[in-house]
């Protein structure tokens, strides 16, 4: 089982999505299920809207998963296992106040030393603990030996007991801390591979230590993915008119060695190799995404493109593709289509000519051929040169430039009544 673990307090960005996509690809390659685990133990900051948006985006990108679970549903397991650790003297109650811990931290910072718990409450007697009515956290005793693990992308890492520290596993309100909850979840759901961003690499030894303390012996493979330097919300890219297929293509391509530049997620499953990913952080390039998006728009089915644009006509889909000479996104294409169908009231600099041509076109018979319509309007209005061509184009397209009218007309001829309204 693999897992993607987004937080219900944060908006999904392209770094999160890249992790989700890679987990999806690996789950397909390993023939294992993918679990979506919503991290929602922070009840004060949780957002049902964020959770709903995350799942909608995963579905939009065709990321298949076996089930969705909420971390908040595991609270009883976190507390029960913490009690087990305390009974086995592997964890202890810590009565140190936040103010006292902050004081210690400040003193260490002045000395240029990292903060580590000083062990003050570690050896308190059971009697002392029972007689103390102050609120307490639960800390897991630091490991006796170094924690070593191998990252499939970055190699071997070793963390000394001092670096792992005696860290908190239950807060004052008895909710779990991040590392403790993650470690327990990976046990509960039989996770075999954890692929996440490299900013969580230092969390890994703590999570391994939790499982070791509970005598959990299953080995979990770790892959820590270099981050994206300039992370952007995924929803913003969708709203700007980028296709999910193009965004996925770019995120797989980013910092990777691939056999080709333009591909689908299904194709990537066939050849993707996590070991080809660069170990360096990568920069998101919007211009590169635009290039890839245009390539995907060129390949998209005309009827599907038409429906995305709000129609159900292959002619409109073909018309949309005509604008790819000057547009990169659905939003830009839709702007061109809207210009055609929006009501035009005048054409600056050619006001009289505009009125004359528009009146003529409203009375014109239907013509299959563009040149026949053009000749009809010229004959009826007596207009020539720019006095005809500029307002005539503007009435048909709402623009002063763009693809040839000879290319556009066959695709809009059935809508002339609406266009010249």
């Amino acid at each position: 089982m693999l897992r993607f673990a987004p937080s219900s307090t944060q908006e999904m960005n392209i770094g999160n999505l890249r992790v989700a996509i890679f987990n999806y690809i690996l789950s397909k390659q390993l023939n294992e299920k993918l679990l979506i685990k919503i991290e929602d133990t922070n009840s004060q900051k949780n957002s049902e809207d964020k959770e709903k948006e995350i799942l909608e985006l995963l579905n939009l990108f065709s990321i298949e998963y076996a089930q969705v679970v909420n971390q908040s549903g595991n609270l009883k397991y976190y507390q029960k296992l913490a009690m087990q650790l305390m009974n086995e003297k592997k964890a202890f109650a810590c009565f140190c106040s936040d103010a006292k811990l902050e004081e210690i931290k400040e003193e260490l910072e002045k000395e240029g030393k990292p903060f580590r718990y000083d062990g003050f409450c570690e050896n308190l007697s059971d009697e002392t603990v029972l007689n103390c009515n102050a609120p307490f956290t639960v800390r897991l005793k630091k490991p006796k030996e170094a924690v070593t693990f191998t990252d499939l992308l970055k190699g071997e890492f070793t963390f000394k007991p001092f670096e792992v520290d005696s860290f908190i596993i239950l807060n004052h309100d008895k909710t779990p801390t991040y590392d403790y909850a993650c470690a327990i979840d990976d046990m509960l759901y039989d996770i075999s591979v954890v692929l996440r961003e490299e900013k969580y690499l230092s969390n890994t030894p703590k999570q391994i230590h939790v499982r070791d303390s509970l005598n959990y012996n299953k080995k979990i493979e770790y892959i820590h993915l270099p981050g994206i330097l300039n992370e952007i919300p995924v929803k913003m890219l969708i709203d700007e008119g980028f296709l999910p297929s193009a965004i996925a293509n770019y995120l797989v391509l980013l910092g990777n060695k691939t056999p080709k530049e333009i591909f689908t997620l299904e194709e990537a499953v066939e050849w993707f190799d996590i070991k080809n990913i660069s170990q360096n952080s990568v920069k998101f390039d919007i211009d590169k995404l635009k290039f890839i998006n245009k390539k995907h728009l060129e390949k998209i089915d005309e009827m599907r493109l038409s429906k995305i644009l709000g129609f159900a006509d292959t002619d409109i889909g073909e018309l949309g593709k005509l604008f790819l000479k000057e547009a990169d996104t659905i939003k830009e294409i839709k702007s061109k289509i809207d210009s055609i169908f929006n009501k035009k009231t005048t054409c600056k600099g050619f006001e009289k000519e505009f009125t004359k041509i528009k009146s003529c076109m409203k009375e014109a018979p239907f013509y299959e051929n563009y040149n026949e319509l053009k000749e009809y309007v010229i004959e009826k209005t007596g207009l020539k040169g720019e006095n005809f061509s500029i307002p005539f184009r503007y009435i048909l397209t709402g623009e002063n430039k763009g693809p040839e009218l000879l290319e556009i007309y066959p695709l809009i001829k059935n809508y002339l009544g609406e266009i010249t309204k």
Side-chain angles (χ1 to χ4, degrees):
M1 179 85 78
L2 284 83
R3 49 86 158 174
F4 172 59
S7 169
S8 64
T9 66
Q10 297 174 350
E11 191 170 23
M12 185 184 283
N13 59 44
I14 53 172
N16 306 139
L17 179 60
R18 188 171 178 234
V19 169
I21 289 171
F22 284 11
N23 271 292
Y24 166 72
I25 292 174
L26 282 183
S27 70
K28 288 292 184 183
Q29 291 180 334
L30 297 171
N31 197 28
E32 292 197 34
K33 293 179 179 179
L34 175 62
L35 173 80
I36 306 300
K37 185 189 70 174
I38 307 295
E39 295 183 343
D40 63 345
T41 55
N42 189 337
S43 58
Q44 294 181 342
K45 294 184 178 180
N46 285 335
S47 167
E48 289 185 11
D49 290 340
K50 284 282 185 290
E51 181 176 335
K52 182 181 177 183
E53 182 180 294
I54 288 167
L55 296 177
E56 286 176 348
L57 286 171
L58 292 176
N59 291 330
L60 187 63
F61 280 83
S62 300
I63 295 175
E64 301 169 11
Y65 47 86
Q67 65 181 121
V68 179
V69 297
N70 289 73
Q71 206 174 40
S72 56
N74 294 331
L75 185 60
K76 61 182 179 182
Y77 298 110
Y78 305 141
Q79 294 174 343
K80 182 178 179 180
L81 291 170
M83 288 176 63
Q84 177 183 321
L85 289 168
M86 292 180 77
N87 289 335
E88 294 174 354
K89 303 300 181 182
K90 295 176 180 178
F92 59 93
C94 176
F95 298 94
C96 298
S97 66
D98 291 341
K100 179 61 179 177
L101 293 172
E102 187 61 33
E103 182 183 322
I104 295 171
K105 183 179 179 180
E106 289 177 0
E107 289 177 1
L108 289 170
E109 283 179 351
K110 289 177 183 177
E111 298 173 12
K113 297 178 181 178
F115 171 74
R116 293 293 183 270
Y117 180 64
D118 63 3
F120 182 80
C121 296
E122 185 171 340
N123 297 310
L124 293 178
S125 66
D126 292 343
E127 183 181 2
T128 302
V129 171
L130 285 171
N131 291 328
C132 185
N133 294 321
F136 65 92
T137 59
V138 177
R139 288 182 181 270
L140 182 65
K141 291 182 179 180
K142 64 187 174 187
K144 294 178 180 178
E145 298 177 354
V147 176
T148 299
F149 65 93
T150 300
D151 183 283
L152 295 183
L153 193 59
K154 296 176 175 293
E156 188 172 283
F157 288 88
T158 298
F159 288 80
K160 298 176 182 177
F162 173 79
E163 295 173 299
V164 178
D165 199 16
S166 295
F167 58 92
I168 295 173
I169 59 173
L170 290 185
N171 296 305
H172 287 109
D173 61 0
K174 304 307 172 278
T175 57
T177 56
Y178 173 79
D179 287 313
Y180 178 61
C182 282
I184 302 302
D185 293 338
D186 290 344
M187 292 168 55
L188 291 174
Y189 301 116
D190 195 28
I191 300 300
S192 55
V193 178
V194 171
L195 185 155
R196 56 190 177 190
E197 291 181 278
E198 66 179 357
K199 63 184 177 182
Y200 297 106
L201 196 148
S202 63
N203 299 85
T204 300
K206 292 184 177 183
Q207 293 170 24
I208 291 174
H209 179 43
V210 170
R211 294 196 301 274
D212 287 347
S213 300
L214 290 165
N215 300 315
Y216 184 79
N217 297 320
K218 177 175 178 174
K219 183 181 179 182
I220 296 178
E221 302 283 2
Y222 282 95
I223 303 166
H224 291 92
L225 194 66
I228 299 175
L229 295 174
N230 46 336
E231 294 188 334
I232 296 171
V234 176
K235 192 173 184 301
M236 188 190 85
L237 293 177
I238 297 296
D239 292 343
E240 284 299 308
F242 290 97
L243 294 172
S245 61
I247 298 170
N249 182 160
Y250 178 60
L251 291 178
V252 173
L253 184 70
L254 194 59
N256 194 5
K257 296 175 184 176
T258 60
K260 54 183 179 178
E261 190 172 42
I262 306 300
F263 49 82
T264 64
L265 207 49
E266 291 73 21
E267 290 173 319
V269 171
E270 299 300 318
W271 46 253
F272 180 84
D273 186 345
I274 193 67
K275 293 179 181 177
N276 286 336
I277 300 293
S278 169
Q279 294 189 30
N280 299 317
S281 297
V282 289
K283 186 176 181 180
F284 180 81
D285 184 347
I286 193 70
D287 291 328
K288 183 66 175 181
L289 177 58
K290 285 181 179 179
F291 167 79
I292 292 173
N293 198 63
K294 182 177 286 192
K295 292 297 182 183
H296 279 260
L297 284 168
E298 288 172 356
K299 291 184 175 184
I300 199 172
D301 176 77
E302 280 79 5
M303 179 57 82
R304 186 181 167 210
L305 177 57
S306 169
K307 289 179 178 179
I308 292 172
L309 293 168
F311 294 80
D313 183 350
T314 54
D315 282 348
I316 298 299
E318 196 173 332
L319 177 63
K321 288 192 175 185
L322 273 184
F323 290 114
L324 286 175
K325 296 171 184 176
E326 52 194 285
D328 302 304
T329 67
I330 292 292
K331 186 176 181 180
E332 291 171 355
I333 292 173
K334 192 174 187 310
S335 176
K336 300 291 183 184
I337 302 293
D338 288 346
S339 292
I340 290 173
F341 286 93
N342 287 342
K343 186 174 182 179
K344 301 103 179 171
T345 55
T346 189
C347 180
K348 191 174 180 180
F350 299 88
E351 290 82 0
K352 291 181 180 179
E353 293 85 351
F354 171 88
T355 302
K356 203 171 185 180
I357 293 173
K358 192 171 183 181
S359 297
C360 176
M361 291 181 70
K362 284 182 178 180
E363 299 172 0
F366 177 79
Y367 288 103
E368 282 282 348
N369 184 279
Y370 165 70
N371 285 323
E372 289 178 355
L373 173 66
K374 179 181 175 182
E375 289 170 8
Y376 171 84
V377 177
I378 289 174
E379 182 182 341
K380 290 293 184 180
T381 61
L383 297 170
K384 297 179 181 180
E386 284 189 349
N387 289 334
F388 166 77
S389 62
I390 292 178
F392 185 60
R393 164 177 275 281
Y394 187 75
I395 288 169
L396 289 177
T397 68
E399 304 277 350
N400 294 321
K401 58 182 180 178
E404 294 293 330
L405 290 180
L406 197 62
E407 294 179 285
I408 292 177
Y409 182 75
L411 305 172
I412 64 171
K413 63 180 186 291
N414 294 326
Y415 297 93
L416 280 184
E418 186 178 348
I419 291 168
T420 58
K421 65 181 181 292

